[in-house]
Amino acid sequence: MRILIVGGGGREHALAWWCRRGRGDVEIIVAPGNAGTSEIAENVAVDATDAVAIARLAVERQVDLVVIGPDAAAAAGVADACISNGIAVFGPTAVAARIESSKTFAKRLMDDAGIATARWMAGGGADLPRMRGFVEELRGRCVVKADGLALGKGVTMCSSTDEAAGALAECFETGRFGDAGRVVVIEERLTGDELSVFGISDGTRVRVLPPARDHKRAGDGDTGPNTGGMGAVSPAPGVGDDVVDNVAASVLQPCVDALRERGTPFVGCLYAGLMLTADGIRVLEFNARFGDPEAQVVLPLAEESGLELLHAAATGGIAPGRVRAAGAWAAGIVAAASGYPGSPRTGDAISGLRDVDSDVLVFHAGTRRDGDGTLRTSGGRVLCVVATAPTLDAARVTAYENLDRVHFDGMQFRHDIGGAPIATTSHARSS
Ligand code: AMP
Ligand code: GLY
């Protein structure tokens, strides 16, 4: 079997690793990939959001399956272009991906399907008086979200009416999020632990993966700016199978049913971002893809073949239930470049990867190899070191010990992924 994985981050490296595991016979192409994927697959320098070029590549190389990594590729219609060329795709069409690319669409669908979510309202600049009224009703404890894709930066948490007024002004007056922020969702601000659950869907049924907890803020103790994610653990501490089954039955399956009933079936990974509140589970957001770095910790725990599951989803053959998983824990620590999440510095040489234990995984993200073979940084999140072990503590300690052997100038990471801070000897420091 020959597959094409679309994207070039840590998630795509983890997907390639998962599809390759136990399957010497699979040929994997990654577009555009990174230095890590080039070791287990063939990289082809095609932009992940160029739907026509990706479909052309899939046709030319006669691939049996296209796997879409990033939301931007799904929103750009990569699945549509490949499907219209008769190729099986794991990843949603652009209209099904609206569950992520439009928060208003997602909130309406949740209300219609009876999926529990925070109280909300949406509007444009002309609705400002009504929106201010809703903010008053929530006594300023609200979250202001740009409707469209904003690289995780379109969300402002507010504790007062003044803060909310400032956030609304940023969207409507300064146009900070461009088109993505012309429509804004205001939500009640909830409190509780967060949880990510991933469902693999064939458009009708859902197979659910182990839950994960992501760490989005840049610095230790949840300080500093929001990032794409600085590390994750799986399963999520304190979250049992009963919670996962409940999410599958009351969140993922109703969402898949609602999208199918609208004539836009969702094939791919449906990601529920959840909060465990005192009143029960609430959906904060849906994404139309695997989380990054959550995929890097969830997929190594899945005992089933990635290739077979993703192909089954793309061809309508998913059996419901939980994906069989090792009864172990995984911890993944992201090493990011200096300047991330702002403007990261690139071009620094990366050393120490050869000293990493053979059973510890290093998923690359922003890496490239020079002509002379030197590995260099080429993006904000550079790599993610993932260890699995029978306990969460053992997984965390092993991941940090191994991360400590890796170095590049300006490397930053959090010391408290999955629990209390762990001291490292590294010259690296958290931001
Ligand atoms: P979103 O992109 O909608 O998931 O929002 C990004 C982050 O903002 C989430 O991971 C939460 O930490 C936070 N957040 C979003 N919505 C809410 C909410 N209604 N209440 C509290 N926190 C929220
Ligand atoms: N790590 C969060 C995300 O992938 O959206």
Side-chain angles (χ1 to χ4, degrees):
M1 189 182 285
R2 188 178 295 150
I3 70 170
L4 166 60
I5 297 177
V6 179
R11 165 184 50 212
E12 288 74 31
H13 189 187
L15 282 165
W17 172 86
W18 192 35
C19 288
R20 150 109 26 252
R21 194 186 58 192
R23 293 290 304 240
D25 57 329
V26 65
E27 242 183 86
I28 305 179
I29 302 166
V30 189
N34 56 42
T37 61
S38 74
E39 286 167 21
I40 56 168
E42 176 193 354
N43 286 354
V44 177
V46 172
D47 179 353
T49 61
D50 186 338
V52 172
I54 294 286
R56 196 184 309 128
L57 175 64
V59 169
E60 275 169 14
R61 300 296 299 271
Q62 299 183 346
V63 304
D64 302 295
L65 174 69
V66 172
V67 176
I68 299 178
D71 46 300
V78 168
D80 309 67
C82 293
I83 290 166
S84 65
N85 280 283
I87 296 163
V89 180
F90 179 86
T93 58
V95 283
R98 271 183 308 172
I99 195 72
E100 170 165 10
S101 61
S102 167
K103 292 192 187 288
T104 322
F105 174 83
K107 294 294 277 189
R108 270 198 206 109
L109 181 137
M110 285 188 251
D111 284 355
D112 291 350
I115 298 169
T117 186
R119 283 201 295 148
W120 66 287
M121 76 164 280
D127 304 304
L128 210 48
R130 214 160 47 90
M131 296 176 96
R132 289 207 181 105
F134 186 52
V135 169
E136 293 285 342
E137 200 183 313
L138 298 173
R139 290 198 214 91
R141 279 198 57 80
C142 66
V143 185
V144 176
K145 301 181 176 184
D147 179 66
L149 295 175
L151 294 171
K153 291 170 189 151
V155 172
T156 312
M157 312 278 272
C158 308
S159 308
S160 67
T161 48
D162 282 352
E163 272 176 31
L168 287 170
E170 268 203 305
C171 290
F172 296 135
E173 285 162 31
T174 53
R176 178 160 166 227
F177 305 110
D179 278 349
R182 271 188 229 298
V183 172
V184 166
V185 172
I186 301 181
E187 277 184 15
E188 162 193 23
R189 181 170 173 176
L190 303 172
T191 47
D193 284 338
E194 284 187 54
L195 171 70
S196 307
V197 179
F198 305 95
I200 292 179
S201 173
D202 61 3
T204 305
R205 289 162 297 259
V206 185
R207 199 74 184 282
V208 62
L209 282 155
R213 180 153 297 139
D214 182 24
H215 294 68
K216 288 202 177 77
R217 305 288 286 270
D220 287 358
D222 283 335
T223 54
N226 257 326
T227 72
M230 292 298 287
V233 296
S234 179
V239 175
D241 286 346
D242 53 332
V243 174
V244 175
D245 291 345
N246 180 9
V247 170
S250 66
V251 173
L252 296 174
Q253 188 64 55
C255 182
V256 164
D257 289 344
L259 286 165
R260 192 184 60 251
E261 282 155 16
R262 281 160 202 234
T264 57
F266 185 95
V267 174
C269 177
L270 183 61
Y271 161 155
L274 306 156
M275 193 167 264
L276 301 168
T277 75
D279 301 323
I281 294 171
R282 297 286 179 274
V283 177
L284 299 181
E285 65 169 343
F286 279 114
N287 293 318
R289 54 181 173 80
F290 286 101
D292 183 345
E294 293 98 314
Q296 290 91 308
V297 288
V298 167
L299 302 184
L301 296 180
E303 285 181 331
E304 295 175 49
S305 153
L307 189 65
E308 278 157 34
L309 267 177
L310 301 184
H311 190 259
T315 52
I318 280 292
R322 270 180 251 131
V323 170
R324 202 165 7 92
W329 291 82
I333 322 299
V334 168
S338 157
Y340 180 75
S343 305
R345 193 172 82 193
T346 58
D348 291 302
I350 304 167
S351 61
L353 291 191
R354 251 174 276 147
D355 303 323
V356 169
D357 294 343
S358 59
D359 58 350
V360 167
L361 297 159
V362 179
F363 291 119
H364 292 219
T367 65
R368 66 175 170 83
R369 228 172 252 290
D370 277 352
D372 68 0
T374 309
L375 187 66
R376 293 194 184 276
T377 62
S378 67
R381 289 187 290 178
V382 174
L383 49 83
C384 180
V385 175
V386 177
T388 54
T391 66
L392 175 59
D393 272 349
R396 298 178 66 227
V397 166
T398 307
Y400 277 107
E401 274 171 11
N402 280 273
L403 179 72
D404 228 4
R405 300 173 199 162
V406 177
H407 173 72
F408 52 86
D409 281 348
M411 171 165 136
Q412 51 160 326
F413 58 87
R414 279 183 61 162
H415 296 78
D416 59 349
I417 299 302
I422 291 183
T424 55
T425 55
S426 167
H427 14 258
R429 51 174 184 77
S430 76
S431 60

